[in-house]
């Protein structure tokens, strides 16, 4: 990283820095520096008669802060998912720390200072201790406590909740790091880009910037110490490049890039209500993957025509107890109503493996990925499974609900799961509880044995859906989370491409549609291949839908089939990937993935 | 007063979620609870205190319970630790 060059007579020299591209786009503007220094709160003495009033002020501010954090938590869950939502769970725990609250009360009574001063002092000490500890976790915890402290102080001063944002022109926000609260409440009409010193691809700033669709670069080292308010700044968030004090030529170049990028985005926007059909009229369904009911709205907003994977285990991840049938009915029903009449495919709980939970007693296993997970847990915990299936059957009256069983290795599990479903339906009928007994039943094809049995499986269910993440990892026996073997995890491994091909052919032979719901579905390079192999539905994160739709609408089914046939004849993952990349680049030169 | 030596066997150590489970139990009892690591003594009813111990997997700690219901408290906390905070 270059340091600031010596400025000569008020003119600064063009400077380039590199960081991690966290959310795509190009932004050009003026720096607004957000300095997250702790505010100074002077020790203000109070009279003994004022102690009671101070304590009441504290109670009120804690209540207001709690409500504000809960609102942030809801918003975070809606816009950014569980990982960011959990940050605010931590904030609630910090706010409700009994010892902290006791200390504040005791010290206000004993020392007779304003509660603002005491709160700042108590939490400030905690922050200082955390900051002295080594490691990222403590830095984050210190930032969490700082975030709670700032909100509490704002409410104590009667200033309201979030940072004021009144800029006369669009700005690029530069900060050492953004607090989760500030990141969550960024107004994208005023803030056209975010650049931070800290953070990685999975930091809350990166996740939120992507969800809010604001171009962002993180991990820039010491950018915030090199700039001043009003400096000219360019962010190429497709490549991670930051340019300070750009000259006229550079500015013109980036204006051009920005225009191309925006033109592409608005072209995507125009596709929203159009079907994903090839130039020769072959239609593919583009569906979204969700883990919260409200995300169904985002799928529709991005032009999706259904939800191909609702990860129901999210119900376990935000709490410590088993979700009740009624709660599940409510959750599934909400998502179904948002989508109706478009389909909602609910995958039954995929617990175990890397998704463990306290309320289900899963013993530590030597090899959890080959162990007790998903349908295996459901089939041995009938109480849980039956409650979930009853909730799904009931919810299906509120929309177009389908059920999908994960981790099916062969016909035995499918038959057993279907039997439990039939029992659940019979129970509901006996209890005269309204439900729709005719929900479609499908399975995830994510185990090599299911690929080999795909035709028989397809005959006994209504649809197949290929879960590429697990299928790849089981096919090549490589855990992609394990750095030592991650290189063996190749999405375009010829073995994997053949498995997809086999599954599609088998499904179609049985007259059943075949979907794909793994990450491969969101990969633009894979789209012509998947369409050409005959995949009927591609289910992916909603933000990927417009781009995949653009690709599908640009190509003909005939050329997709040729591309797929050629890919099937190539020998290695690298050859297939290079070939697919080349074919896509030829046809779509303005995809943002090429801008780096 | 009851004092026990403990070793954290769960993967996350006293990360925020396990720490929350710990303090939730501690808060139910009248007795005072402290955790001590290398001379650092924190109130185990405080989530910030517990987080401050930076206790990862394998950390050795001393647990101190003082008060009328200290025995039940100590038992419940020990069970939580032995069950690895139900992580796995």
């Amino acid at each position: 990283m270059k340091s600031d060059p010596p400025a000569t007579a008020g003119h600064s020299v063009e400077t380039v820095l590199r960081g991690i591209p966290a959310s795509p786009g190009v932004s050009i503007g003026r720096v607004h520096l957000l300095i997250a220094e702790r505010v100074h709160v002077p020790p203000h003495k109070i009279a003994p008669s004022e102690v009671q009033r101070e304590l009441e002020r504290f109670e009120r501010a804690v209540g207001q802060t709690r409500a504000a954090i809960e609102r942030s938590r809801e918003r975070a869950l809606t816009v950014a998912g569980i990982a960011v939502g959990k940050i605010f769970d931590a904030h609630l725990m910090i706010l409700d720390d009994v010892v902290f609250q006791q200390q504040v009360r005791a010290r206000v009574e004993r020392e007779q200072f304003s509660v603002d001063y005491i709160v700042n002092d108590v939490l400030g000490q905690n922050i200082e201790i955390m900051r002295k500890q080594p490691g990222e976790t403590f830095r984050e915890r210190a930032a969490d406590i700082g975030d709670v402290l700032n909100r509490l102080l704002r409410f104590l001063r009667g200033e309201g909740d979030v940072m004021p944002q009144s800029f006369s022109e669009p700005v690029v926000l530069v900060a050492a790091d953004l607090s989760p609260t500030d990141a969550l409440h960024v107004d994208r009409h005023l803030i056209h880009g975010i650049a931070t010193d800290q953070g990685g691809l999975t930091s809350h700033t990166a996740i939120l910037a992507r969800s809010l669709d604001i171009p962002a670069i993180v991990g820039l080292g010491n950018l915030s110490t090199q700039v001043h308010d009003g400096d000219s700044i360019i962010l190429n968030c497709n490549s991670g490049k930051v340019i300070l004090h750009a000259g006229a030529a550079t500015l013109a170049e980036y204006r051009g890039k920005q225009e191309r990028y925006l033109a592409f985005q608005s072209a995507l926007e125009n596709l929203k209500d159009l079907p994903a059909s090839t130039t020769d009229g072959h239609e593919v369904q583009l569906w979204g993957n969700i883990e919260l009911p409200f995300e169904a709205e985002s799928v529709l907003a991005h032009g999706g025509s259904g939800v191909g994977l609702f990860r129901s285990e999210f119900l376990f991840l935000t709490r410590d107890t088993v979700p009740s049938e009624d709660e599940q009915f409510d959750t599934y029903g909400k998502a179904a109503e948002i989508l109706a009449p478009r389909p909602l495919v609910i995958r039954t709980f995929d617990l175990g493996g890397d998704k463990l939970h306290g309320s289900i007693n899963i013993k530590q296993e030597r090899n959890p990925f080959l162990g007790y997970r998903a349908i295996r847990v459901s089939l041995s915990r009938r109480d849980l499974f039956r409650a979930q299936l009853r909730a799904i059957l009931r919810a299906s009256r509120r929309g177009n609900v389908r059920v999908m069983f994960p981790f099916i290795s062969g016909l035995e599990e499918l038959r057993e799961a279907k039997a439990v479903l039939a029992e659940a339906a019979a129970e509901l009928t006996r209890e005269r509880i309204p439900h729709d007994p005719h929900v479609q039943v499908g399975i995830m094809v994510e185990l090599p044995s299911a690929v080999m049995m795909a035709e028989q499986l397809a005959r006994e269910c209504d649809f197949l859906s290929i879960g590429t993440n697990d299928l790849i990892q089981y096919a090549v026996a490589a855990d992609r989370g394990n750095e030592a073997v991650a290189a063996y995890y190749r999405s375009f491994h010829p073995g994997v491409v053949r498995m997809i091909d086999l599954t599609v052919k088998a499904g179609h032979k049985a007259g059943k549609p075949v979907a794909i719901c793994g990450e491969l579905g969101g990969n633009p390079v894979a789209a012509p291949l998947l369409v050409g192999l005959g995949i009927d539905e591609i289910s992916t994160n909603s933000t990927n839908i417009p781009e995949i739709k653009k690709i599908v609408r640009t190509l003909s089914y005939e050329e997709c089939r040729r591309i797929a046939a050629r890919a099937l004849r190539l020998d290695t993952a690298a050859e297939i990937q290079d070939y697919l990349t080349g074919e896509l680049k030829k046809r779509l030169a303005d995809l943002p993935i090429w801008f780096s | 007063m009851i004092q026990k030596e403990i070793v954290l066997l769960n993967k996350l150590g006293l990360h925020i979620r396990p720490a929350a489970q710990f303090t939730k139990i501690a808060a139910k009892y009248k007795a005072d609870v402290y955790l001590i690591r290398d001379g650092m003594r924190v109130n185990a009813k405080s989530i910030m205190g517990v987080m401050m111990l930076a206790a990862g997997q394998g950390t050795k700690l001393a647990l101190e319970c003082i008060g009328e219901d200290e025995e039940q408290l100590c038992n419940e906390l020990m069970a939580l630790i032995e069950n690895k905070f139900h992580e796995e």
Side-chain angles (χ1 to χ4, degrees):
Chain A
M1 214 151 300
K2 280 207 254 170
S3 61
D4 213 356
T8 47
H11 291 288
S12 299
V13 182
E14 201 167 292
T15 309
V16 174
L17 289 101
R18 281 185 189 280
I20 303 163
S23 174
V26 176
S27 47
I28 302 170
R30 302 262 164 210
V31 168
H32 176 80
L33 198 54
L34 195 69
I35 298 167
E37 283 302 299
R38 277 187 44 220
V39 282
H40 175 68
V41 182
H44 174 71
K45 266 284 183 193
I46 54 167
S49 60
E50 292 172 319
V51 166
Q52 192 51 36
R53 197 198 62 199
E54 284 299 285
L55 294 179
E56 283 162 14
R57 229 155 57 76
F58 179 57
E59 295 308 318
R60 201 161 48 240
V62 166
Q64 288 168 322
T65 306
R66 187 181 299 114
I69 297 174
E70 275 164 3
R71 280 196 302 274
S72 294
R73 182 178 174 279
E74 283 302 303
R75 180 168 155 79
L77 283 171
T78 313
V79 305
I82 287 162
V84 179
K86 274 187 177 167
I87 294 172
F88 295 97
D89 283 338
H91 289 193
L92 285 173
M93 291 178 205
I94 291 165
L95 179 71
D96 286 327
D97 189 315
V98 283
V99 174
F100 152 62
Q101 294 194 6
Q102 278 166 8
Q103 270 177 353
V104 170
R105 285 189 212 101
R107 284 188 54 185
V108 168
E109 281 176 16
R110 198 174 58 236
E111 300 170 24
Q112 297 178 357
F113 282 112
S114 74
V115 76
D116 307 52
Y117 172 74
I118 301 286
V119 163
N120 189 50
D121 195 54
V122 173
L123 289 180
Q125 282 176 19
N126 280 304
I127 294 171
E128 289 317 313
I129 297 171
M130 298 268 180
R131 276 194 185 155
K132 282 190 197 118
Q133 311 263 15
E136 178 80 355
T137 318
F138 285 99
R139 216 184 40 68
E140 276 173 17
R141 282 294 96 81
D144 286 332
I145 300 174
D147 206 342
V148 174
L149 171 60
N150 282 336
R151 288 185 117 157
L152 203 45
L153 286 176
R154 281 193 205 117
F155 280 116
L156 279 170
R157 290 195 297 254
E159 286 174 1
D161 190 22
V162 293
M163 67 166 172
Q165 291 175 359
S166 47
F167 310 111
S168 51
E169 55 174 350
V171 296
V172 170
L173 205 56
V174 177
D177 198 7
L178 281 187
S179 77
T181 306
D182 285 342
L184 188 63
H185 295 279
V186 157
D187 179 346
R188 68 168 167 169
H189 299 294
L190 296 170
I191 290 167
H192 283 195
I194 297 172
T196 63
D197 297 350
Q198 290 154 6
L201 263 186
T202 55
S203 63
H204 60 260
T205 305
I207 296 171
L208 282 163
R210 280 195 293 274
S211 320
L212 299 169
D213 207 10
I214 298 171
I217 302 178
V218 298
L220 281 155
N222 59 356
L223 173 72
S224 71
T225 61
Q226 298 190 40
V227 295
H228 303 96
D229 273 340
D231 281 356
S232 126
I233 187 169
I234 297 173
L235 308 182
N236 183 353
C237 305
N238 302 315
S239 67
K241 203 158 140 186
V242 173
I243 303 165
L244 300 173
H245 319 298
T250 313
L251 266 173
E253 181 195 337
Y254 277 89
R255 289 242 156 78
K257 283 194 184 190
Q258 188 180 35
E259 260 166 44
R260 273 173 69 197
Y261 185 79
L262 292 176
F264 183 76
Q265 292 304 318
S266 74
L268 293 188
E269 184 64 29
N270 295 337
L271 299 181
K272 207 190 107 185
D273 299 319
L274 297 173
S277 38
T278 57
T279 54
D280 47 359
H282 173 79
E283 190 173 342
V284 178
Q285 296 303 315
L286 292 185
W287 290 345
N289 293 346
I290 64 172
E291 57 179 0
L292 294 162
F294 304 107
E295 287 176 316
E297 288 174 12
S298 164
V299 172
L300 297 182
H302 283 89
S305 57
V307 163
L309 174 62
F310 184 9
R311 301 185 173 97
S312 61
E313 56 279 359
F314 94 89
L315 284 161
F316 279 90
L317 299 176
T318 51
R319 44 151 59 219
D320 292 319
T321 52
V322 170
S324 71
E325 178 185 322
D326 283 341
E327 188 190 342
Q328 292 184 60
F329 165 60
D330 187 48
T331 304
Y332 305 150
K334 255 185 215 149
E337 274 170 8
I338 293 170
L339 291 164
R342 303 175 198 85
L344 168 71
V345 179
I346 302 173
R347 176 177 71 187
T348 60
F349 301 136
D350 187 358
L351 297 161
D354 54 350
K355 288 162 272 190
L356 299 167
H357 192 265
S359 60
I360 308 202
N361 213 356
I362 296 176
K363 296 263 172 295
Q364 188 163 17
E365 297 175 311
R366 266 181 54 192
N367 210 334
F369 278 100
L370 302 185
Y372 184 56
R373 59 173 287 199
I375 196 72
R376 299 171 183 181
V377 175
S378 294
L379 289 176
S380 74
R381 284 291 309 266
R382 291 296 172 93
D383 50 333
L384 234 130
F385 194 34
R386 198 156 47 227
Q388 181 173 37
L389 294 175
R390 284 172 57 113
I392 291 173
L393 289 164
R394 289 168 59 194
S396 72
R397 279 174 44 107
R398 294 166 66 178
N400 179 358
V401 175
R402 303 175 186 177
V403 59
M404 177 161 79
F405 301 124
F407 221 63
I408 296 288
S409 73
L411 285 163
E412 292 93 334
E413 296 106 284
L414 172 58
R415 288 175 183 162
E416 209 179 327
K418 279 173 69 183
V420 183
L421 181 67
E423 273 167 40
E427 267 175 26
L428 289 171
T429 307
R430 270 201 307 279
E431 295 165 25
R432 296 169 190 272
I433 296 174
H435 66 283
D436 170 8
H438 303 295
V439 289
Q440 282 198 22
V441 177
I443 62 157
M444 297 270 298
V445 176
E446 51 190 337
L447 301 180
S449 62
V451 171
M452 302 315 290
M453 290 296 288
E455 193 183 329
Q456 289 84 344
L457 288 164
R459 274 198 223 109
E460 299 195 17
C461 67
D462 300 305
F463 62 90
L464 305 178
S465 184
I466 306 175
T468 50
N469 300 10
D470 272 338
L471 182 60
I472 297 168
Q473 112 166 330
Y474 290 115
V476 301
D479 172 3
R480 64 176 170 163
N482 176 353
E483 276 176 35
V485 297
Y488 290 94
Y489 182 99
R490 301 295 299 264
S491 305
F492 294 109
H493 191 292
V496 172
V497 175
R498 280 172 172 73
M499 283 183 158
I500 297 171
D501 183 46
L502 278 177
T503 307
V504 175
K505 286 193 173 120
H508 287 176
K509 205 166 165 200
K512 305 293 163 64
V514 181
I516 196 152
C517 65
E519 272 170 36
L520 192 61
N523 182 345
V525 172
L529 170 71
L530 297 175
V531 172
L533 289 174
I535 289 282
D536 300 284
E537 297 115 3
I538 297 175
S539 194
T540 178
N541 293 336
S542 57
T543 49
N544 295 329
I545 292 174
E547 196 172 12
I548 303 295
K549 189 184 277 185
K550 168 85 179 165
I551 295 168
V552 173
R553 289 184 59 86
T554 305
L555 277 69
S556 71
Y557 186 44
E558 205 209 314
E559 63 186 326
C560 289
R561 287 176 51 162
R562 262 205 319 274
I563 290 171
R566 173 82 191 276
L568 279 169
R569 288 196 301 273
L570 296 173
D571 294 331
T572 65
E575 281 173 35
I576 295 177
Q577 181 153 10
D578 288 348
Y579 168 67
L580 293 175
T581 306
E583 291 300 306
L584 189 61
K585 225 174 197 167
K586 259 195 282 183
R587 292 167 173 85
L588 276 143
D590 54 351
L591 287 184
I593 45 169
W594 316 133
F595 282 126
S596 16
Chain B
M1 183 181 86
I2 309 177
Q3 212 176 17
K4 289 248 159 91
E5 296 293 314
I6 56 175
V7 182
L8 295 173
L9 295 173
N10 65 315
K11 238 190 237 161
L12 295 173
L14 283 174
H15 198 273
I16 191 149
R17 209 176 162 82
Q21 290 171 278
F22 198 90
T23 52
K24 220 183 262 174
I25 292 174
K28 287 194 302 188
Y29 290 86
K30 292 200 190 86
D32 291 329
V33 206
Y34 298 93
L35 280 167
I36 302 132
R37 179 189 186 184
D38 306 329
M40 186 178 191
R41 188 165 185 268
V42 302
N43 188 331
K45 293 189 181 191
S46 163
I47 183 124
M48 283 183 277
V50 174
M51 288 186 321
M52 233 175 267
L53 291 173
Q57 190 178 24
T59 304
K60 286 191 190 118
L61 300 166
L63 172 67
E64 225 175 76
C65 304
I66 313 154
E68 50 177 301
D69 48 9
E70 59 188 30
E71 206 169 316
Q72 296 102 296
L73 170 56
C74 185
N75 289 342
E76 194 174 344
L77 289 176
M78 291 303 286
L80 179 72
I81 294 160
E82 275 156 25
N83 289 323
K84 299 182 188 173
F85 296 78
H86 312 294
E87 262 174 34
E88 278 143 19

